[in-house]
Amino acid sequence: MKSAVETLNPTRVRLTVEVPFEELKDSLDAAYKKINQQVTVKGFRKGKIPARVIDQRFGRGAVLEEAVNDALPKLYTEAVNEAELNPLGQPEVDITELKDGETLAFTAEVDIRPEIQIPDYSGIEVTVDAVEVTDEDVEKSVEQLRERFASTNPVERAAAEGDVVTIDLEAKVDGEVLPDGVAEGVSYTIGSGELLDGIDEAVTGLEAGGEATFTSQLKGGSAEGKDAEVTVKVTAVAARELPELDDDFAQMASEFDTLEELKADSRKRLENMKQYDQATQAQERVLDELLKLAEVPIPEKLLEDEVKTRKHNLEHHQLGQMGLDLAKYLEIQGKTEEEFDAETKEQAVKGIKTQFILDELVNKEKLNVNQEELTEHLMRRAQSSGMSPDQFAQAVVEGGQVPMLVGEVARGKALAVVVEAAKVVDTNGEVVDLEDEEDEAEVTEAAAETAEAAAEGEAEEKNEA
């Protein structure tokens, strides 16, 4: 077999392959064998029909077609390996010559990973938010804990903000009660904003037995998005009572003996959370700067497929779970379809660039993934998927996705290398040493999560949120 490579552009090549006919012998034998099992000829046992009879009865062309279809994948793979290419996706194959007994020739066009020059990233500088925990932050955290230990007691008075009311609801559209528009015994905290728009105003001031009617746009159900006339009846009013903020509360709500110890622990936890957020912010911003420095050609077909995949996942998975379609989602976001398409393409480009450049860094720095790192990553992915580690591991193995997970961890390690070389300062002008804040395993896992989010287009959404 002879093969040659023609570079069409930085991300696409054309392979030209010529194969002497004798190299097709195994595929020809396999073709005759396969046809033998599929056809019957009077006078011959099944599977024992001579090749010359198959040629006469069914045509030599049918045999050649079957043989070529069998041989092409192997010949293509051999040519790719010989040229040391990194193909992306399936090739477009065109048979240019097929002379029985002489030659098979074909071309195969395929996208390839571009050659990337890793830029000097040692000069990258980024600014991140300073880690500052105020007394107000601590008080808010303790207050949230206090809310969790609130009790309710029935009262005989009009309902007010913060009270818990038990209510019955009935929704009508165009004067007709909806099939799913009746609910009884619903517990609702006034001011929580967890039910319908307008319900807070309707129930405030009502005592048990009182009712009111208001108009609200339905957020779900059979008449989602329509205006409904909603009748609400209060059947009970209960006041929420918060425990006193004292040492007794600290002992009830935590493992600490005093309120001051509880507040000190809250401050430490808030500091840890903000340090983690700071590290994530540093990784995201360093990655953005790295992508600006690197020239990364994007294969057109790969980009097209990535955009389609992202739109499909959004429409059929994420929005489906929320009971939305794309049109409703765009209306909520205040975006046109053209703006959405442009943003999706921009995120897809960033995702592809992120994978390409971090994969190149993995090779350049000769980074390996050990079992402990892979296990820790698997545990996190299992947790985010809502599966047990054993279930997730089984699904990964059965789906042949272990290399994908290894790649995610490796890219995280590559990003960690760049972040370590970068200068990170906070908004107070203080140099941030991320290694002081997290151990190496945590840094690697956090970086893997950041790289994964960028590759999947989640970083922008997270920042907007």
Side-chain angles (χ1 to χ4, degrees):
M1 184 186 80
K2 294 191 301 182
S3 64
V5 180
E6 177 187 357
T7 300
L8 303 178
N9 61 49
T11 63
R12 194 166 179 84
V13 297
R14 180 188 292 123
L15 282 165
T16 301
V17 183
E18 291 185 10
V19 186
F21 210 79
E22 56 266 22
E23 292 186 23
L24 297 178
K25 182 180 184 308
D26 289 345
S27 294
L28 279 168
D29 292 344
Y32 279 117
K33 186 176 181 179
K34 183 176 180 180
I35 294 172
N36 242 307
Q37 300 300 321
Q38 294 175 336
V39 302
T40 56
V41 175
K42 190 175 181 180
F44 296 95
R45 285 182 298 164
K46 195 172 185 65
K48 299 294 183 181
I49 308 169
R52 58 179 176 77
V53 175
I54 290 177
D55 289 345
Q56 292 169 355
R57 289 292 186 94
F58 305 101
R60 174 71 168 176
V63 178
L64 291 176
E65 181 179 356
E66 185 66 43
V68 169
N69 288 339
D70 176 77
L72 275 178
K74 292 175 283 188
L75 295 170
Y76 166 74
T77 300
E78 187 178 336
V80 164
N81 292 338
E82 187 177 289
E84 297 182 344
L85 300 175
N86 291 309
L88 300 167
Q90 296 300 313
E92 295 179 6
V93 177
D94 181 26
I95 297 174
T96 55
E97 185 178 18
L98 178 57
K99 291 183 178 179
D100 194 359
E102 295 182 26
T103 309
L104 164 66
F106 66 91
T107 61
E109 287 191 19
V110 67
D111 286 335
I112 59 168
R113 276 183 177 263
E115 292 184 6
I116 301 171
Q117 296 297 321
I118 300 298
D120 179 8
Y121 49 79
S122 61
I124 291 178
E125 294 186 18
V126 297
T127 302
V128 296
D129 296 336
V131 174
E132 295 175 343
V133 178
T134 65
D135 291 343
E136 184 181 348
D137 293 332
V138 175
E139 295 299 331
K140 183 178 179 181
S141 175
V142 173
E143 190 63 26
Q144 289 173 343
L145 181 62
R146 188 184 179 205
E147 291 277 353
R148 287 167 48 192
F149 285 86
S151 59
T152 56
N153 294 305
V155 293
E156 294 183 4
R157 60 165 173 76
E161 184 171 356
D163 287 343
V164 178
V165 290
T166 304
I167 55 177
D168 298 336
L169 295 163
E170 181 184 81
K172 294 180 181 179
V173 173
D174 298 330
E176 297 291 330
V177 178
L178 298 171
D180 53 357
V182 177
E184 297 180 346
V186 177
S187 180
Y188 175 67
T189 301
I190 300 176
S192 66
E194 293 174 352
L195 279 178
L196 299 166
D197 292 337
I199 194 168
D200 289 334
E201 294 82 358
V203 298
T204 298
L206 295 181
E207 298 183 19
E211 67 176 56
T213 301
F214 63 100
T215 300
S216 183
Q217 187 179 80
L218 299 178
K219 297 179 180 179
S222 59
E224 178 186 357
K226 293 185 178 180
D227 287 337
E229 183 183 84
V230 182
T231 300
V232 56
K233 181 177 181 180
V234 176
T235 60
V237 180
R240 297 177 75 249
E241 294 185 6
L242 298 174
E244 291 293 328
L245 278 178
D246 52 23
D247 292 346
D248 289 339
F249 168 71
Q251 293 165 20
M252 173 181 66
S254 70
E255 70 271 28
F256 301 105
D257 293 327
T258 68
L259 183 60
E260 288 308 309
E261 288 175 329
L262 173 60
K263 287 184 176 181
D265 179 69
S266 295
R267 183 179 295 275
K268 183 62 179 174
R269 285 189 298 102
L270 289 171
E271 286 176 350
N272 289 339
M273 288 170 57
K274 290 200 172 188
Q275 284 175 346
Y276 183 86
D277 291 342
Q278 185 188 63
T280 301
Q281 191 179 65
Q283 291 157 358
E284 291 173 355
R285 293 182 178 180
V286 167
L287 176 59
D288 286 341
E289 292 302 313
L290 177 65
L291 295 179
K292 289 177 187 177
L293 292 175
E295 290 290 335
V296 184
I298 304 296
E300 291 183 13
K301 183 67 167 59
L302 180 65
L303 177 59
E304 181 184 326
D305 291 344
E306 181 67 13
V307 169
K308 287 180 181 177
T309 298
R310 286 168 185 256
K311 290 185 70 172
H312 177 85
N313 289 341
L314 176 66
E315 289 188 64
H316 299 280
H317 297 294
Q318 300 170 39
L319 296 184
Q321 293 174 356
M322 297 160 55
L324 298 174
D325 58 18
L326 183 58
K328 187 66 177 178
Y329 170 76
L330 293 178
E331 181 184 333
I332 293 171
Q333 294 288 314
K335 297 176 184 176
T336 65
E337 190 166 351
E338 290 74 18
E339 289 171 335
F340 168 74
D341 287 343
E343 287 181 8
T344 303
K345 182 177 180 179
E346 182 181 345
Q347 292 171 4
V349 167
K350 180 177 180 180
I352 294 170
K353 279 188 173 182
T354 296
Q355 288 205 23
F356 280 179
I357 194 167
L358 292 183
D359 285 344
E360 187 64 29
L361 264 169
V362 169
N363 294 331
K364 180 183 177 182
E365 300 291 341
K366 296 181 171 56
L367 300 175
N368 296 312
V369 176
N370 61 42
Q371 188 61 48
E372 182 181 352
E373 292 166 338
L374 182 60
T375 300
E376 186 168 342
H377 187 63
L378 187 147
M379 297 278 281
R380 181 186 68 80
R381 289 293 302 268
Q383 185 177 19
S384 64
S385 69
M387 301 170 67
S388 73
D390 288 344
Q391 288 174 325
F392 187 78
Q394 183 178 355
V396 166
V397 172
E398 290 177 354
Q401 294 183 315
V402 173
M404 181 191 73
L405 289 188
V406 171
E408 289 173 355
V409 179
R411 284 191 282 274
K413 296 185 76 168
L415 178 56
V417 168
V418 181
V419 173
E420 184 180 352
K423 181 179 180 181
V424 182
V425 297
D426 65 20
T427 47
N428 293 331
E430 299 291 330
V431 175
V432 177
D433 188 349
L434 299 175
E435 288 189 344
D436 286 346
E437 300 174 4
E438 301 175 277
D439 65 31
E440 186 176 347
E442 288 177 330
V443 170
T444 296
E445 184 55 29
E449 189 172 347
T450 300
E452 182 187 336
E456 295 176 1
E458 296 169 0
E460 293 84 354
E461 296 169 18
K462 183 170 63 178
N463 289 338
E464 288 174 7

